[in-house]
Amino acid sequence: MTFHPKMSYESGHQQSARELPEEGEPFTFTPENLARLEEIAAHYPPDRRRSALLPALYLVQKQQGFVSRRAMVAVGQLIGVTPAEVEDVVSYYTMFYAKPVGTYVLQVCRTLSCALNGAERVTDVLSRKLGIKPGETDATGMFTLIEVECLGACDRAPVVLVNDHWHECLKPEDAAQLVDDLRSQGPGVLSGCHLCVEGKK
């Protein structure tokens, strides 16, 4: 048994744009997202417009759930970089998805502190509950399960990041209930980051 099995970054949602189909209409930002992108880009000198690449990709993913090949081309044109340079960023950072994901992306931390506190069992329970393996999306299209490296909350292990929301101290025996709660109540059931929660008191 190992607490840190080999993790493949060559598959799953970090797919090369060269392998993605050019299906659907060309990507265009909504007027609101385009205005937001221009507002962000205005913070940089004109010859440094490419510095807005990461925010542009976040806006794409917020708009359509993932960063398609057509979106990479559109972002490159808007930012002033090549599609290949956009792809380099999308394929490097694990928070960007190059193919569709579920409504809820369950990212289970599997680094040492979480592993020692049962993260592998959390993943196993979630896999069996959803009928999928890590890197897959369930048949309903609601859940995608991913194993990730350190989420930076080692004292609250095991940690699961659900989209952009924290759920800390998730015991393996409670993992199946988390899925049911998300289905019935939405992200309001998540614990949140304890630092943010305590900071509001």
Side-chain angles (χ1 to χ4, degrees), residues 33-198:
N33 284 338
L34 182 58
R36 178 63 181 141
L37 175 57
E38 292 302 329
E39 177 187 342
I40 293 168
H43 289 237
Y44 304 101
D47 62 337
R48 294 287 183 262
R49 186 176 171 86
R50 65 174 48 216
S51 299
L53 178 53
L54 287 176
L57 293 173
Y58 272 114
L59 288 169
V60 168
Q61 192 155 283
K62 180 180 178 182
Q63 181 172 316
Q64 69 174 16
F66 70 107
V67 184
S68 63
R69 182 174 181 177
R70 289 185 179 275
M72 292 182 201
V73 172
V75 166
Q77 291 172 344
L78 281 168
I79 296 299
V81 298
T82 67
E85 289 173 298
V86 180
E87 181 193 346
D88 285 346
V89 173
V90 172
S91 62
Y92 178 81
Y93 290 105
T94 58
M95 68 275 202
F96 295 124
Y97 312 124
K99 64 181 183 180
V101 293
T103 305
Y104 298 111
V105 180
L106 309 177
Q107 301 177 65
V108 183
C109 177
R110 37 79 59 74
T111 311
L112 185 59
S113 295
C114 287
L116 289 171
N117 283 283
E120 291 184 17
R121 286 179 287 140
V122 168
T123 299
D124 183 57
V125 170
L126 292 173
S127 291
R128 285 187 280 112
K129 175 73 173 178
L130 297 170
I132 58 176
K133 298 175 182 177
E136 296 178 347
T137 300
D138 77 324
T140 70
M142 182 171 280
F143 294 97
T144 297
L145 179 62
I146 301 175
E147 291 182 304
V148 297
E149 297 301 342
C150 187
L151 291 172
C154 302
D155 61 322
R156 310 294 287 179
V159 180
V160 178
L161 190 65
V162 182
N163 298 347
D164 295 325
H165 306 284
W166 292 90
H167 193 72
E168 300 174 331
C169 302
L170 179 61
K171 298 175 183 177
E173 57 267 29
D174 297 329
Q177 186 62 47
L178 175 63
V179 170
D180 290 336
D181 290 345
L182 283 167
R183 281 185 176 135
S184 62
Q185 303 173 57
V189 302
L190 302 173
S191 69
C193 172
H194 78 285
L195 294 174
C196 296
V197 172
E198 291 174 359

